[in-house]
Amino acid sequence: MIFINDFKSESEELRSAMVNATKRVIDSGWYVLGKELISFEEQWAKTCGVKHAIGVGNGMDAIEIALRSLGITQGDEVITTTMTAFATVLAIYRAGATPVLADIDPATALLSPESVERCISNKTKAVLLVHLYGQVRNMSSWVDLCNKRSIYLIEDCAQAHLAKYQGKFAGSFGQAGAYSFYPTKNLGALGDAGMLLTNDKFIEEKSRCLRNYGQSKRYHHPELGLNSRLDEMQASILMERIKWLEGFTQRRKEIAHAYQVGINHPLINMLKEPETSDSHVYHLFVITCTEREAFMSHMKAQEIQTLIHYPIVIHQQEPCRAAKQDPQGLAYSEQHAATCVSLPCHPQMSDKEIETVINTVNSF
Ligand SMILES: Cc1ncc(COP(=O)(O)O)c(C=O)c1O
């Protein structure tokens, strides 16, 4: 079977490095908010070219903490895409704010600036931009739009580790960037983990306080915070896995390139190619097909796993049916949700497996 992710086929070298890292933590006798986390925070901040990185429990908390650090709360509106992981929007609700759902550009499945403009009101405090599937596009326009409207730009970078736009990394454009290190992400831990990036000292201090019960110094709680800390075990694993990230990303790009060149079928459509090789890290390789069910069955019959990211748009999820949305509707997102399919695109895939995927798609 060719899987969407296949961690069991990772190299012995990486596996034993992770085992040694966990031993290092056990031997240290210190498990939460220690040296491993400081090292990883410094490393990820340096990698992404930002001043501060704050390790938190997961990607969703990173978004909530970013919003709360910016003072976004009840009565404030945050515009985001309806074509995203549920966690993106749940984080807005958890911060006490109101999500406003905008549509996508069908060519990329990314948030549409025209739709965002239609969603802006005098309550709008931020755009939460999701770098869906690993794509970072049009960042100068997003920065301009948010500056012009005096609203914050927060980036959901859960799928975009190492993605760059004009030399700058995802998470370094807005006031804050939120990363997830969930195991399946391009840089993943062996459990939940997340991180918030910012160049702003105030946001840094506030989020360090919020992640730790709202504690400013021992036993002083000026805020009602969360318990959301990236523990030493996961930080040590991430310190090892980060050494492989560039190579793994390169392999994802090679696979994507092979698909772009090799897949040729009248019923299979590709998303628009990225402008530069830096600006898409292929967390997911997504195609669209109007005969999706038959296509997925065809792939499964040939032992190739496919998945859907995402089959249900946020405004059709039960708790969000009444959510505020683009007055012109969210038709492109609905169409994408009905037709999108993710093909296997992970760094452990062999050349033979890539060829098998291409031939199987083309024989549909
Ligand atoms: C786009 C997006 N945002 C946010 C999240 C939430 O991350 P986590 O699972 O670490 O909370 C995810 C992960 O599923 C995601 O894909």
Side-chain angles (χ1 to χ4, degrees):
M1 186 90 184
I2 303 177
F3 295 103
I4 289 282
N5 287 297
D6 195 355
F7 300 115
K8 281 191 178 172
S9 64
E10 284 181 347
S11 73
E12 193 44 46
E13 194 186 340
L14 174 53
R15 292 161 82 90
S16 56
M18 291 194 289
V19 171
N20 290 340
T22 56
K23 185 173 181 314
R24 188 169 73 227
V25 174
I26 294 166
D27 289 346
S28 79
W30 191 280
Y31 307 127
V32 177
L33 295 181
K35 282 195 294 211
E36 298 284 341
L37 177 59
I38 291 170
S39 302
F40 182 58
E41 286 178 337
E42 285 173 1
Q43 182 67 51
W44 194 241
K46 191 168 151 220
T47 302
C48 298
V50 296
K51 288 191 190 145
H52 314 291
I54 303 94
V56 296
N58 54 69
M60 186 178 85
D61 286 356
I63 301 171
E64 178 186 337
I65 292 172
L67 292 167
R68 290 184 59 184
S69 297
L70 286 161
I72 294 172
T73 183
Q74 211 149 18
D76 295 335
E77 292 181 355
V78 177
I79 302 172
T80 195
T81 169
T82 191
M83 174 43 66
T84 185
F86 195 70
T88 307
V89 177
L90 183 53
I92 301 173
Y93 282 114
R94 291 197 50 103
T98 304
V100 181
L101 301 170
D103 209 358
I104 56 167
D105 171 351
T108 61
L110 295 177
L111 195 57
S112 148
E114 293 79 24
S115 178
V116 167
E117 289 278 5
R118 289 192 292 272
C119 290
I120 290 178
S121 77
N122 57 10
K123 293 184 180 160
T124 307
K125 285 289 176 329
V127 171
L128 175 51
L129 184 66
V130 181
H131 300 309
L132 197 71
Y133 306 149
Q135 310 172 82
V136 179
R137 295 184 193 257
N138 298 330
M139 291 314 296
S140 324
S141 315
W142 285 113
V143 170
D144 286 350
L145 185 152
C146 291
N147 283 342
K148 201 172 78 198
R149 299 289 197 152
S150 301
I151 53 182
Y152 296 124
L153 176 63
I154 301 166
E155 298 168 68
D156 178 343
C157 310
Q159 304 186 356
H161 308 75
L162 294 191
K164 272 202 261 185
Y165 178 86
Q166 294 181 350
K168 281 183 71 179
F169 284 92
S172 67
F173 293 90
Q175 281 67 40
Y179 276 90
S180 164
F181 304 113
Y182 184 77
T184 58
K185 301 304 190 223
N186 286 22
L187 176 58
L190 301 189
D192 281 305
M195 197 162 272
L196 193 156
L197 295 184
T198 185
N199 284 314
D200 185 315
K201 187 77 189 145
F202 177 81
I203 297 173
E204 188 225 357
E205 282 170 6
K206 185 108 168 174
S207 48
R208 285 197 192 285
C209 169
L210 282 172
R211 76 171 173 187
N212 197 22
Y213 319 122
Q215 178 173 269
S216 55
K217 59 181 182 190
R218 190 171 262 209
Y219 305 129
H220 289 253
H221 297 266
E223 302 271 349
L224 297 176
L226 297 76
N227 174 355
S228 186
R229 303 169 297 218
L230 203 176
D231 64 65
E232 291 290 279
M233 215 48 124
Q234 299 304 343
S236 76
I237 294 290
L238 287 161
M239 276 304 275
E240 292 307 323
R241 295 188 68 89
I242 199 174
K243 296 175 191 162
W244 297 68
L245 181 59
E246 219 170 286
F248 281 180
T249 305
Q250 192 49 38
R251 184 62 177 159
R252 287 176 187 274
K253 289 180 186 176
E254 282 166 18
I255 300 165
H257 181 69
Y259 288 170
Q260 276 147 358
V261 172
I263 293 176
N264 186 5
H265 190 289
L267 286 174
I268 305 295
N269 296 302
M270 305 270 176
L271 294 180
K272 187 174 158 189
E273 280 192 34
E275 276 158 35
T276 67
S277 63
D278 286 342
S279 59
H280 196 337
V281 292
Y282 296 98
H283 171 60
L284 294 166
F285 189 93
V286 175
I287 53 113
T288 61
C289 176
T290 46
E291 307 294 322
R292 180 166 71 188
E293 220 171 296
F295 174 70
M296 290 177 79
S297 302
H298 167 77
M299 298 298 281
K300 192 173 171 199
Q302 303 304 315
E303 306 247 292
I304 299 172
Q305 185 189 22
T306 55
L307 290 176
I308 303 174
H309 298 90
Y310 297 92
I312 306 172
V313 279
I314 303 293
H315 63 281
Q316 289 173 350
Q317 298 286 356
E318 230 164 278
C320 308
R321 292 237 168 92
K324 215 173 152 188
Q325 55 169 258
D326 181 344
Q328 287 191 17
L330 301 163
Y332 287 126
S333 301
E334 289 167 13
Q335 171 69 12
H336 186 74
T339 55
C340 63
V341 185
S342 305
L343 302 179
C345 182
H346 65 77
Q348 284 72 45
M349 281 178 81
S350 67
D351 291 348
K352 179 91 193 58
E353 287 175 323
I354 298 168
E355 200 184 313
T356 305
V357 173
I358 293 170
N359 292 338
T360 310
V361 173
N362 289 343
S363 68
F364 172 52

